Amino acid sequence: MATAQELEETILALVTKRGAGKNIDPTDVARALGGDHPDGWGPLMQPVRQAAIRLMKEGKIVILRKGRPADPDDFKGIYRLTLPSEP
């Protein structure tokens, strides 16, 4: 199982590689660490979500729900990850 640090580093690397104004699917993070088979990446989905919440609270990423920033303490369903907008 990936560590919290590995999850956070992978999220940051993937959103940075994707670039400003674009986003990634959390399964991209899980697959990068767990491989393409669902048995490998599936168990990582909840840890990816927890790492994304931590990173959003630190201001390093934004969690999007239906294209808008989500409340990290209260969002459900499908979400995407992106870099914060430049001021």
Side-chain angles (χ1 to χ4, degrees):
M1 186 65 83
T3 66
Q5 182 176 346
E6 289 171 323
L7 289 163
E8 291 177 9
E9 288 172 354
T10 303
I11 290 170
L12 292 171
L14 291 175
V15 294
T16 301
K17 182 178 177 184
R18 189 83 171 121
K22 298 190 176 172
N23 57 60
I24 64 166
D25 189 301
T27 60
D28 296 337
V29 179
R31 287 174 195 259
L33 293 166
D36 287 330
H37 195 280
D39 288 346
W41 63 262
L44 292 172
M45 291 306 295
Q46 196 60 35
V48 166
R49 180 185 180 99
Q50 293 165 350
I53 290 168
R54 282 192 303 275
L55 290 171
M56 183 165 176
K57 288 181 176 181
E58 293 171 5
K60 296 179 180 175
I61 67 164
V62 176
I63 297 170
L64 299 174
R65 175 87 173 104
K66 296 185 178 180
R68 296 187 184 143
D71 177 346
D73 294 317
D74 185 32
F75 70 98
K76 295 179 177 134
I78 297 168
Y79 65 99
R80 308 278 294 177
L81 307 172
T82 190
L83 292 170
S85 301
E86 293 294 322

